[in-house]
Amino acid sequence: MEYQKIHIKYMVSYRCIMVVKEELKSLGISYANVNLGEVEILEKISNSQRESLSINLKKIGLELLDDKKSILIDKIKNEVIKMIHHSESLPKVNYSDHMSEKLGYDYTYLSNIFSEVQGITIQQFIIFNKIEKVKELLLYNELNLTEISYQLDYSSVSHLSNQFKKVTGLTPSFFKQMREMRKNMLV
């Protein structure tokens, strides 16, 4: 069965999926699947349903996508977010091969479109997301830097530290110390 697909911008977490499901349900729109950035609708929706969905999604910080370039950019972002934030381990193939395979386009094409629209490369977007994941893992205090660098597929702790400092201006150790100092001040 062929489903109608609707693409939604800024849908980056499982919480977003839950909220979108609730919106669809409240509007009486039947769906097969709701994934990051994409909904498979069981039947054609009316213009008024689409308009209501668009308005309701905007109220919660999400947005319907219509043009093909925006949809592709959103798919790239969602794949990076899934890869880094929502999987147990990073793919064992290089990122460009992974992205090409998942999205069905040549990586050079994906990269050019992404850079043109976003003003940064896919690789830079991946690095920013990896650093956000490092911050998250440091805050939870469950893993040490060696374990974090291994989990996020860095070649070494120094590589992770250098990239962290380049993006945040801080070393991972200093970032963690700052969080501890702030936490102690609040107590």
Side-chain angles (χ1 to χ4, degrees), residues 58-179:
K58 280 184 182 173
K59 287 178 186 173
I60 55 174
L62 302 175
E63 193 176 308
L64 285 182
L65 292 173
D66 290 320
D67 74 276
K68 292 189 185 310
K69 214 181 253 190
S70 294
I71 291 169
L72 185 56
I73 296 299
D74 208 55
K75 283 182 177 181
I76 292 167
K77 287 180 175 182
N78 286 331
E79 190 54 45
V80 169
I81 289 165
K82 252 193 280 186
M83 180 176 69
I84 293 171
H85 297 282
H86 302 294
S87 65
E88 291 298 311
S89 62
L90 295 176
K92 296 303 173 202
V93 297
N94 69 36
Y95 299 139
S96 56
D97 291 343
H98 176 79
M99 298 298 284
S100 291
E101 180 185 316
K102 288 289 185 180
L103 299 173
Y105 290 96
D106 177 67
Y107 184 76
T108 303
Y109 174 74
L110 294 173
S111 180
N112 288 339
I113 293 279
F114 192 87
S115 296
E116 173 190 319
V117 173
Q118 294 299 124
I120 61 171
T121 65
I122 293 174
Q123 190 60 39
Q124 288 169 317
F125 186 73
I126 290 170
I127 290 168
F128 292 144
N129 276 275
K130 284 176 76 172
I131 296 304
E132 286 304 309
K133 183 71 174 180
V134 170
K135 288 181 191 176
E136 181 183 311
L137 293 170
L138 285 171
L139 294 178
Y140 288 136
N141 212 15
E142 294 174 5
L143 303 174
N144 64 37
L145 225 42
T146 303
E147 292 167 324
I148 292 171
S149 73
Y150 178 77
Q151 182 176 330
L152 292 176
D153 202 29
Y154 280 96
S155 58
S156 65
V157 172
S158 67
H159 181 217
L160 180 152
S161 296
N162 288 337
Q163 214 169 61
F164 191 94
K165 183 163 176 124
K166 189 183 279 186
V167 171
T168 67
L170 306 169
T171 65
S173 308
F174 188 71
F175 175 80
K176 193 170 181 174
Q177 285 174 352
M178 276 182 29
R179 292 293 298 171

